[in-house]
Amino acid sequence: MIGRKNTGRASPVLLVLLALGFFFASYNFLSIVIHNKASNSGSWVADRLDWFDPIIGIPEKMKRSRNSKFHVALTATDASYSQWQCRIMHYWYKKVKEMPGSDMGEFTRILHSGSPDKLMEEIPTFVVDPLPEGLDRGYVVLNRPWAFVQWLEKAKIEEEYILMAEPDHIFVNPLPNLADGIQPAGFPFFYIKPAEHEKIIRKFYPEENGPVADIDPIGNSPVIIKKSSLEEIAPTWVNVSLRMKDDPETDKAFGWVLEMYAYAVASALHDVRHILRKDFMLQPPWDLNVGKKFIIHYTYGCDYNSKGVLTYGKVGEWRFDKRSYLTGPPPRNLSLPPPGVPESVVRLVKMVNEATSNIPGWETLTSG
């Protein structure tokens, strides 16, 4: 009887081995499913990746450790207009960097004016050369890709990833590394529409490279990308930018966003697709709330009447527009918006005021 019972019941050791085998088989299957979802679903995965994590209950701290720190890099000139924006951005970078949830590493202002300026001691800066005189045709942002090429070749960058940012960015929440391995993360701009410009795009992205839909609706900023990927893309980005600027039809069609299209095309030429993260950035006055978004981009003018109604395109009774301060920084203690103005605009002005109140010599620094 004992012999028959033993032959009909598995030993404890065997049961443990079977359980472990089932666990690892299930885990590998889930990993394959997740990988396939990730490669085919773009921003869909960015919003739901944690939900699919097969390791139930993994601590948030451990999840963040899967990604590396990223280096914050922005290109700039020595003009006062660029300087005061960089000072505000750097102030908020320092405040947010060490907050829980941040994967920020070091910071570099890539100065493409060719010579040091008065911010060298305040902000970590790497000086590079501008394009040869006349090559940018007065379109100063053409220097941006050339600046990144030089910086990547000459600077010592410890981080594995890079955030390409701009002076008019303010970090409003701690920013994690949104990239996923070799796949970078970018912000989708509603006005970057490759499919609507297919005839022009095909001059730089031939049909043999694939459908125009493979070109992401992004610019180079904000983008978090692996350093090795950017090293490959940046020279192509320079060449495509210059070719686009040299083509009258393309120059007219793309205008001030030409360099953004050039980055989108250059990355597609290298078969690089971006995770599209709408929560990467908000742009007042169109985005009304900050919420859990990470960067305020104050590129648009904010004009309101005394009742808090937006008067975009018309100077309001209350306004904040960075272009009002082309030759010098905004004064300290800007007036707050009237009641009824969206929270995003109020938050922007308060953050500008905090920075200007705490940056030494705010109203005395001049360019050069």
Side-chain angles (χ1 to χ4, degrees), residues 185-207:
F187 176 79
F189 290 90
F190 70 90
Y191 50 79
I192 302 297
K193 301 177 179 179
E196 293 187 6
H197 299 282
E198 183 165 4
K199 179 184 174 184
I200 292 174
I201 290 291
R202 285 304 184 192
K203 295 181 181 182
F204 313 97
Y205 190 76
E207 289 189 13

Side-chain angles (χ1 to χ4, degrees), residues 8-164:
R9 180 185 300 170
S11 70
V13 174
L14 180 59
L15 288 174
V16 170
L17 291 174
L18 287 171
L20 286 172
F22 179 78
F23 169 80
F24 285 114
S26 300
Y27 180 88
N28 289 336
F29 174 74
L30 283 171
S31 297
I32 292 169
V33 171
I34 294 163
H35 176 75
N36 289 335
K37 291 279 189 182
S39 61
N40 295 317
S41 58
S43 61
W44 183 87
V45 169
D47 293 330
R48 296 165 172 80
L49 186 60
D50 288 346
W51 189 83
F52 276 104
D53 198 317
I55 305 177
I56 305 301
I58 188 169
E60 288 296 323
K61 185 176 181 181
M62 291 180 65
K63 288 184 180 182
R64 288 196 299 271
S65 69
R66 295 173 179 175
N67 289 324
S68 301
K69 295 280 186 181
F70 57 84
H71 194 107
V72 179
L74 68 154
T75 55
T77 73
D78 62 2
S80 176
Y81 177 65
S82 177
Q83 286 182 334
W84 68 256
Q85 294 175 52
C86 289
R87 298 181 85 190
I88 292 174
M89 186 203 183
H90 186 241
Y91 172 86
W92 282 104
Y93 155 80
K94 290 189 294 183
K95 288 206 68 171
V96 173
K97 178 186 176 184
E98 303 302 332
M99 290 183 179
S102 168
D103 285 323
M104 293 179 179
E106 298 304 308
F107 184 104
T108 299
R109 179 182 63 132
I110 308 172
L111 183 64
H112 55 74
S113 299
S115 58
D117 66 0
K118 292 183 178 180
L119 289 181
M120 301 296 292
E121 294 185 6
E122 180 180 329
I123 301 176
T125 299
F126 193 91
V127 180
V128 298
D129 294 324
L131 289 167
E133 187 175 357
L135 197 59
D136 65 6
R137 299 172 183 247
Y139 181 53
V140 69
V141 293
L142 274 190
N143 287 284
R144 181 177 293 155
W146 177 227
F148 272 109
V149 167
Q150 296 174 80
W151 178 64
L152 290 165
E153 286 181 350
K154 300 175 183 178
K156 184 178 180 180
I157 307 161
E158 299 292 343
E159 295 86 353
E160 188 179 1
Y161 291 84
I162 292 168
L163 165 65
M164 291 187 282

Side-chain angles (χ1 to χ4, degrees), residues 223-330:
V223 163
I224 298 177
I225 186 170
K226 218 170 184 186
K227 180 172 61 177
S228 56
S229 295
L230 186 56
E231 286 170 339
E232 294 179 0
I233 293 171
T236 306
W237 180 21
V238 173
N239 292 330
V240 173
S241 296
L242 293 173
R243 286 177 56 207
M244 284 185 171
K245 189 64 180 175
D246 203 42
D247 181 77
E249 182 185 20
T250 306
D251 189 22
K252 181 179 180 181
F254 292 164
W256 64 276
V257 297
L258 180 148
E259 168 267 340
M260 297 173 68
Y261 271 102
Y263 174 80
V265 169
S267 56
L269 287 170
H270 287 273
D271 296 319
V272 173
R273 298 296 303 273
H274 297 69
I275 302 167
L276 302 180
R277 295 286 302 241
K278 290 184 178 180
D279 62 342
F280 208 152
M281 190 167 74
L282 71 147
Q283 302 184 99
W286 309 117
D287 296 309
L288 306 182
N289 298 295
V290 173
K292 295 183 178 180
K293 295 186 174 78
F294 301 108
I295 294 171
I296 292 180
H297 182 210
Y298 55 98
T299 190
Y300 296 104
C302 300
D303 287 276
Y304 294 86
N305 64 22
S306 59
K307 296 181 179 179
V309 177
L310 182 67
T311 61
Y312 193 77
K314 176 184 177 183
V315 175
E317 296 172 86
W318 180 93
R319 77 175 334 217
F320 176 76
D321 188 339
K322 66 177 185 176
R323 294 164 192 81
S324 299
Y325 309 103
L326 294 175
T327 58

